[in-house]
Amino acid sequence: MTTGLVKSADLHLHTFYSDGTFSPEEVVARGVEAGLGVLALTDHDSLEGCPRMAAAAAAAGVEFVPGAELTADAEGKEVHVLGYWLDAGNDRLRSELARFQRVRQERIEEMVASLRRAGVPMELEAVRAVANCSAPGRPHVARALVAAGHASDYDDAFDKYLKKGRAGWVPKARMTVDEAVGLIRDAGGVAVLAHPALYRDDGLVGRVLSRGMDGVECWHTRHSASDAARYEGMACRAGLVATGGSDCHGMAKLEPLIGRVRLPYDRVEQLRARRPRSGVT
Ligand code: AMP
Ligand code: FE
Ligand code: FE
Ligand code: ZN
C-alpha cells in the first residue's frame, strides 16, 4: 500500500560517516519504511556515505540526492549550509572537505583535553572508538560521556559538557557563507540554508539568504508550524525554494526522526532546476 500519490522527500539525513548512528543502508531501509520516495544524505563535511547510500537507494527504488552539510560563519554566528547534487570529484570541494575533517579530528582531542582539565576523566581512545569516522563531532563525545557514566543521556551530555560555554565546548572551523555557497555551486550543487529558526535572528537569516542561497529549510523537526510558515513566506518573497528535512541522526534520539518531515516532490524539482549546470550538455 502506498502512503500517497505524490512522492515525498526527506532532504536532511545523517549517517555514521558523520554524527548519525545509522549506516547508509539503514537510512534507506528506514526511509522506505516511512514511505519516502526521495532521500538526501547530508553528513557534516563529508560525502563519504554517498556511494553506499546511492547503491542502497537504487536497489530500493528510491531517488537519491547526494549532499553535505557545511559549517559557515555569518556575522560571527555558526550557520549550516546544505549542498545538494554535489560532484564528489570536484577538486576544490574534496580539498575543503578534507581540511574540515582534519580540523574536526584535532578538535576531538582538544575536547577530551579540555574535559580532563575540568576533572572529567575521559580517555581519548574511548572517545576515538565512538568517533570512528572522518568527520567526528560533539555527538560522538556525548555518546562516549554517556557510556562512561558521566551523563545520564545524550541531551544531558550536551547540557553539562558540550554546549557553548561548557568545559568540553571547543569552537569549530567555519568558512564564510560566501565561500560555502561558492564551493557548493562550483561543485554543481545548490545551496540551502539549514534550520533557520535555530539561529534565533531572522534579520541575519534574511541577509544570509541574499548571499546566493537557492533555498531555505522551512520544515525541520526543531521548527514549529509558525516557524515553517514564516520561512516559507521569506522563501516566497525572495524567490527561493522552500525545502525541508528531518535532520535525523539515527538513534541519537530514542525515536529516529526520519519521515517526520515529508516534503512534496515538486519542491525537489524546483531545487533541481536551480542546479548551475542543469540543462547544459
Ligand atoms: P558539532 O558539529 O561537533 O559542533 O556538533 C553539532 C551537532 O551536535 C549538531 O549537528 C547536532 O547533531 C548536535 N547538537 C548540537 N547541539 C545539541 C544539543 N543541545 N543537544 C543535542 N544535540 C545537539
Ligand atoms: Fe549533526
Ligand atoms: Fe545542522
Ligand atoms: Zn544536520
Side-chain angles (χ1 to χ4, degrees), residues 156-200:
D156 186 44
F158 269 90
D159 277 347
K160 276 196 189 137
Y161 302 113
L162 297 170
K163 68 184 188 187
K164 191 170 178 179
R166 296 287 194 257
W169 184 78
V170 174
K172 200 168 51 179
R174 305 172 189 173
M175 56 183 95
T176 65
V177 167
D178 289 348
E179 282 166 343
V181 170
L183 198 57
I184 288 167
R185 294 196 62 86
D186 187 52
V190 298
V192 170
L193 180 65
H195 41 60
L198 304 196
Y199 315 132
R200 300 180 182 284

Side-chain angles (χ1 to χ4, degrees), residues 1 35 41 52 54 79 111 153 179 268 280:
M1 195 178 131
L41 180 56
R52 273 177 70 173
V79 301
M111 286 196 270
D153 61 25
E179 282 166 343
V268 180
V280 178

Side-chain angles (χ1 to χ4, degrees), residues 12 14 44 69 80 194-195 198-199 220 247 249:
H12 194 155
H14 295 272
H44 299 280
E69 183 171 15
H80 291 174
H195 41 60
L198 304 196
Y199 315 132
H220 181 272
D247 208 356
H249 283 72

